């Protein structure tokens, strides 16, 4: 589709999208992200294609890290290409994309987070320049999103869109399978800590064997193996195929955010940004949509984290353990979370032994039973704010009277008043955020 | 001598958190002073000898791969012949039957440890809370979450595990199947975390001992909540049905 003046019908649809979003923002009915997009799409079903035409577009998809990587990529290309249209709040289906594009000037680049299931449709209709493929693992169980089926749909869509460059995590066999159908993939060694969904070979149904260690590669007897890497992580460095090393001083915590950062950097380069500039800009991002921020909750401070599936939980438990802060774990099981919380048994909560732990959320009883069998002493407080408060008080009591109290240096009181860690699944996280205040701490 | 608890093919049948059944069994044994060893038996290695085997749910292709591997090996059938106890959930339950439907509609052979066969359902997957009244009156209500497309038809040698009180189960008003010391069920949750009495029944079969009760306060609180949720869901469905039929 060529760029040019938008048809009258489209201009009306754009105006309606903006107007509805303005209204819903003013009415505080929502964040103005989806309602306007729906109205716009109803007026012009081809609105998304028309709004994307003539823009340099990157789509970001995968089970974990979409929102963060989308934001990092938008930041990374800003120096080279200017501010990008971005659906920053995780509204990752077409109505959210329309809203993002309608709000941006014509011709600005677009970086869009896309739901895994919608990706094939968007690749076909938008023909994006770049598609970032992060990882694929089990997500909400009762949605029957069988990850191998998703991988083969991605593969078909990419094979049919030869101008699209996939920037793909070569360490995930399902992602490698999807991207190896494309003409010129960029292979990134971003790591894969959750291998439980990757042992079945997508090429032959045989078994993939993984070499020992995080970046040891993988191969199947049929010959399908990890592609040679164009970009990889080595400690805090990004290493390019020509051997160049760039130090990434990342403000965001955790191994998984290093993986998101290297994927974003590789994609920024594929979109035309300079590698050094992209990496420097990525390093400065310190929170994404509130995640990892320290917020105020009823007079207590909490560092808030979101985990949506077992792979994400494992990453966050790695991040908070070892540590001494009290931990609040919040679990809901609404439609957006998946209505069956059985996946709690795939998460190694045993790692929380020795910590002050509070179970909260609508399904705190499922979590309490899981913690009981993990032999993690805990309290169960259904209300999230009350749970944060309980953890905060318990943390201060421990610091004042615990075994280390007498030996503690004078500044220990400051540690005791440090934030508690809150990890929630999707609606548990958003519920707490709706009741929290930003402290900027 | 320690109790060997084998989680069968967690790499293929581990999609629905059912590996938790092995954890529950091992912990409930240990808490009573019975040494227990929990073994994850991935599909790449020979199935180890055990006293208790747990099979879980999985995706269609993985289910087929697991069934083929188990059939070729014959080790689970030999273990059952020796008196081993088996709990199989969802895809694992279907594998234990005489046949089940593959993703492409093909009829695949199961292990024949339960006299049931599973055919493709006609339409919607059964997804939601499942509540069932056990045929064995010594067990309390069974609660769990079901998520399957198949209909399971029992033959004369398979007794139902329970009668459905809310949800779908096998599809004929019964839930699960029992033959000897082999139990198949559609209950996820995992089943034994939500139903500690069922865990203790399996443990008493495997150890030949009467087991003293455990405190189970958190399990009781969870059961109370989920049983109420399943009943509420059923009564909502009824109301909708009655409103629908009167108009
Ligand atoms: Zn292969």
């Amino acid at each position: 589709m060529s760029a040019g003046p938008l048809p009258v019908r489209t201009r009306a649809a754009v105006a309606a999208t903006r107007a509805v979003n303005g209204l819903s923002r003013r009415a505080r009915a929502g964040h103005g992200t989806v309602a306007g997009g729906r109205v716009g799409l109803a007026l012009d079903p081809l609105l998304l294609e028309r709004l994307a035409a003539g823009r340099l577009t990157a789509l970001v998809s995968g089970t974990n890290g979409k929102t963060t990587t989308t934001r990092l990529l938008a930041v990374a290309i800003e120096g080279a290409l200017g501010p990008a249209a971005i659906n920053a709040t995780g509204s990752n289906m077409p109505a959210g994309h329309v809203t993002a594009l309608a709000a941006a000037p014509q011709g600005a680049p677009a970086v869009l987070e896309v739901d895994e299931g919608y990706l094939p449709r968007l690749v076909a209709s938008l023909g994006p320049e770049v598609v970032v493929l992060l990882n694929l693992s089990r997500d909400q169980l009762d949605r029957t999103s069988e990850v191998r089926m998703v991988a083969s749909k991605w593969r078909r869509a990419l094979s049919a869109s030869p101008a699209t460059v996939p920037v793909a995590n070569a360490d995930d066999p399902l992602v490698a399978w999807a991207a190896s159908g494309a003409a010129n993939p960029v292979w990134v060694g971003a790591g894969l800590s959750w291998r439980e969904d990757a042992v079945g070979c997508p090429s032959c149904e045989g078994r993939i064997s993984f070499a020992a260690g995080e970046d040891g590669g993988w191969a199947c007897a049929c010959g399908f193996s990890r592609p040679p890497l164009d970009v990889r992580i080595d400690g805090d460095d990004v290493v390019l195929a020509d051997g160049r090393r760039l130090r990434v001083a990342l403000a965001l915590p955790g191994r998984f955010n290093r993986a998101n950062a290297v994927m974003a950097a590789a994609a920024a380069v594929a979109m035309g940004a300079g590698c050094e500039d992209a990496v420097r800009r990525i390093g400065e991002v310190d929170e994404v949509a509130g995640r990892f921020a320290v917020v105020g909750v009823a007079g207590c401070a909490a560092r808030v984290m979101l985990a949506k599936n077992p792979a994400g939980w494992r990453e966050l438990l790695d991040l908070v353990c070892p540590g001494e802060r009290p931990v609040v774990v919040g679990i809901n099981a609404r439609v957006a979370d998946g209505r069956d919380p059985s996946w709690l048994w795939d998460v190694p909560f045993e790692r929380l032994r020795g910590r002050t732990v509070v179970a909260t959320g609508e399904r705190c009883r499922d979590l309490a039973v899981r913690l009981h069998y993990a032999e993690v002493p805990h309290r169960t407080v259904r209300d999230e704010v009350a749970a944060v408060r309980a953890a905060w008080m318990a943390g201060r009591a421990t610091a004042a009277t615990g075994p280390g109290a007498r030996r503690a240096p004078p500044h220990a009181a400051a540690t005791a008043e440090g934030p508690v860690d809150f990890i929630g699944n999707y609606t548990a996280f958003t519920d707490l955020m709706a009741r929290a205040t930003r402290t900027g701490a | 001598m320690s109790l060997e608890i084998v989680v069968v093919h967690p790499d293929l049948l581990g999609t629905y958190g059912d590996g938790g059944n092995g954890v529950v069994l091992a912990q409930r044994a240990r808490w009573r002073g019975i040494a227990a060893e929990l073994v994850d038996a991935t599909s790449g290695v020979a199935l180890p000898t055990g006293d208790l085997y747990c099979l879980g749910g999985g995706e269609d292709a993985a289910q087929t791969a697991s069934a083929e591997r188990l059939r070729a090996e014959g080790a689970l059938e030999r273990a059952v012949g020796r008196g081993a106890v088996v709990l199989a959930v969802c895809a694992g339950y279907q594998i234990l039957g005489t046949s089940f439907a593959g993703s492409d509609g093909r009829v695949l052979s199961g292990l024949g440890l339960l006299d049931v066969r599973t055919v493709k359902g006609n339409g919607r997957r059964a997804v939601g809370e499942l509540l069932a009244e056990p045929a064995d009156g010594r067990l309390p209500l069974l609660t769990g979450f079901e998520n399957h497309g198949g209909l399971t038809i029992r033959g004369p040698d398979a007794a139902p595990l329970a009668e459905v009180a809310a949800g779908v189960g096998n599809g004929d008003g019964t839930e699960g199947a029992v033959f000897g010391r082999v139990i198949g069920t559609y209950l996820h949750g995992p089943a034994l975390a939500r139903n500690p009495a069922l865990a203790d029944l399996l443990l008493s079969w495997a150890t030949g001992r009467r087991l003293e009760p455990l405190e189970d306060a958190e399990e009781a609180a969870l059961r109370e909540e989920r049983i109420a949720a399943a009943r509420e869901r059923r009564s909502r469905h009824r109301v909708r049905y009655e409103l629908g039929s009167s108009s």
Side-chain angles (χ1 to χ4, degrees):
Chain A
M1 202 174 293
S2 72
L6 295 171
V8 175
R9 179 199 184 105
T10 303
R11 267 181 283 156
V14 169
T17 301
R18 288 181 183 152
V20 171
N21 280 334
L23 280 177
S24 68
R25 260 194 302 272
R26 275 192 293 281
R28 308 188 116 252
H31 300 286
T33 52
V34 186
R38 286 207 190 106
V39 170
L41 280 169
L43 289 172
D44 180 357
L46 287 177
L47 183 56
L48 184 55
E49 287 82 346
R50 292 194 168 119
L51 285 170
R55 295 179 196 271
L56 190 58
T57 301
L59 307 180
V60 179
S61 197
T63 308
N64 282 312
K66 288 187 287 286
T67 303
T68 301
T69 307
T70 299
R71 171 106 156 83
L72 294 178
L73 177 53
V75 169
I77 62 171
E78 196 168 339
L81 303 168
I86 169 175
N87 51 337
T89 46
S91 319
N92 59 16
M93 296 193 222
H97 301 140
V98 162
T99 295
L101 295 179
Q106 234 189 316
V111 180
L112 301 176
E113 170 188 340
V114 181
D115 176 86
E116 300 90 283
Y118 274 92
L119 185 69
R121 215 180 304 171
L122 252 64
V123 167
S125 64
L126 303 185
E129 279 70 22
V130 169
V131 172
V132 182
L133 307 175
L134 297 167
N135 48 62
L136 277 174
S137 70
R138 65 190 67 171
D139 205 17
Q140 294 94 333
L141 296 179
D142 56 348
R143 281 191 181 174
T144 65
S145 59
E146 302 203 341
V147 290
R148 299 160 68 85
M149 204 186 299
V150 174
S152 45
K153 285 180 182 159
W154 281 11
R155 183 179 166 89
R156 242 173 286 144
L158 290 166
S159 314
S161 182
T164 298
V165 174
V167 173
N169 181 2
D171 286 327
D172 185 331
L174 287 173
V175 167
W177 171 247
S180 58
N184 287 305
V186 174
W187 295 114
V188 183
L192 182 71
S193 64
W194 178 268
R195 291 171 175 171
E196 278 79 345
D197 294 311
V199 287
C201 175
S203 179
C204 77
E205 303 285 328
R207 280 178 59 84
I208 300 254
S209 28
F210 287 89
E214 273 262 311
D215 53 348
W218 49 264
C220 174
C222 72
F224 181 54
S225 62
R226 183 176 74 174
L229 300 179
D230 298 304
V231 184
R232 67 188 170 87
I233 316 179
D234 181 18
D236 289 335
D237 293 349
V238 170
V239 184
L240 307 177
D242 61 12
R244 262 190 307 157
R245 272 175 183 271
L246 295 172
R247 173 58 49 98
V248 187
L250 208 58
L252 291 174
R255 191 213 67 84
F256 52 99
N257 278 326
R258 279 210 301 281
N260 296 333
V262 72
M263 294 295 295
V269 172
M271 290 178 83
C275 197
E276 285 87 350
D277 185 51
V279 164
R280 186 183 54 75
R281 287 168 185 274
I282 284 170
E284 287 165 5
V285 177
D286 61 359
E287 76 158 86
V288 174
R291 299 165 197 190
F292 312 109
V294 174
V295 300
V297 178
C300 316
R303 178 169 68 155
V304 289
M305 288 162 277
L306 167 64
K308 290 189 279 196
N309 45 54
W313 279 95
R314 191 174 292 181
E315 302 274 23
L316 287 179
L317 289 176
D318 281 345
L319 177 70
V320 303
C321 304
E324 294 186 347
R325 297 169 173 182
V327 181
V328 181
V329 180
I331 303 297
N332 285 353
R334 299 183 202 157
V335 172
D337 304 306
R339 285 166 47 225
D340 175 14
S342 295
W343 55 265
L344 287 171
W345 294 78
D346 289 334
V347 178
F349 284 109
E350 286 79 2
R351 287 187 201 170
L352 290 173
R353 281 178 198 160
R355 299 288 282 278
T356 297
V357 176
V358 180
T360 187
E362 291 160 0
R363 298 302 288 269
C364 57
R365 288 181 176 178
D366 294 79
L367 177 61
V369 169
R370 173 70 188 97
L371 293 171
H372 172 56
Y373 282 96
E375 297 184 343
V376 174
H378 57 274
R379 287 183 56 192
T380 306
V381 180
R382 183 174 299 259
D383 180 79
E384 291 182 331
V385 169
V388 168
R389 181 125 200 102
W392 170 264
M393 299 307 284
R396 297 179 64 147
T398 311
T401 63
R406 205 166 304 160
R407 283 181 286 107
H411 63 262
T415 315
E417 284 166 22
V420 303
D421 278 332
F422 174 93
I423 313 179
N425 68 344
Y426 190 68
T427 68
F429 176 87
T430 51
D431 278 7
L432 183 76
M433 289 300 274
R435 298 168 72 186
T437 51
R438 295 299 181 92
T439 63
Chain B
M1 203 193 71
S2 92
L3 191 67
E4 297 287 324
I5 299 164
V6 180
V7 175
V8 180
H9 298 175
D11 52 328
L12 299 172
L13 302 176
T15 313
Y16 295 91
D18 300 310
N21 289 325
V23 175
V24 171
L25 288 168
Q27 291 292 62
R28 297 184 74 79
R30 289 171 191 149
W31 289 339
R32 291 171 166 117
I34 302 167
E37 189 87 39
L38 182 60
V39 184
D40 275 345
T42 54
S43 60
V45 300
L47 195 68
T49 307
D51 303 301
L52 247 156
Y53 292 82
C54 299
L55 290 79
E59 300 177 4
D60 290 343
Q63 178 187 28
T64 305
S66 175
E68 279 169 2
R69 172 98 195 137
L70 289 171
R71 245 196 7 253
E73 215 177 353
L76 190 60
E77 295 94 314
R78 285 194 297 277
V80 169
R82 281 195 311 270
V85 175
V86 182
L87 174 71
V89 180
C90 203
Y93 170 32
Q94 298 177 356
I95 287 174
L96 294 200
T98 51
S99 70
F100 62 95
S103 51
D104 50 2
R106 248 184 334 144
V107 175
L108 302 164
S109 301
L111 302 187
L113 290 172
L114 287 172
D115 183 16
V116 300
R117 63 192 174 88
T118 301
V119 297
K120 248 188 151 45
N122 37 8
R124 291 177 56 141
R125 274 177 91 83
V127 180
E129 292 288 333
L130 174 56
L131 187 64
E133 187 77 58
D136 178 341
R138 288 166 301 180
L139 281 175
L141 274 174
L142 296 173
T143 160
F145 191 94
E146 65 181 327
N147 185 351
H148 57 100
L151 293 175
T152 297
I153 300 153
R154 279 179 301 107
D157 286 335
L161 174 64
E163 299 287 324
V164 172
V168 176
N170 292 331
D172 65 349
T174 68
E175 152 53 21
V178 189
F179 182 74
R181 295 170 153 201
V182 178
I183 291 183
T185 177
Y186 277 114
L187 297 163
H188 297 292
L192 301 185
R194 288 224 204 162
N195 302 284
L198 182 59
D200 288 351
L201 177 67
L202 299 175
L203 283 173
S204 68
W205 284 352
T207 59
R209 288 168 51 168
R210 276 180 63 98
L211 301 168
E212 65 274 27
L214 296 171
E215 192 198 333
D216 293 339
E218 292 184 302
E219 289 90 336
L222 172 61
R223 286 175 57 76
E224 183 189 2
E225 176 190 290
R226 299 328 304 161
I227 289 169
R231 287 195 165 130
E232 194 208 332
R233 182 166 176 251
R234 193 186 59 161
S235 61
R236 265 205 320 271
H237 279 224
R238 260 202 201 138
V239 168
R240 206 178 303 149
Y241 174 76
E242 280 159 13
L243 289 175
S245 55
S246 70
S247 64

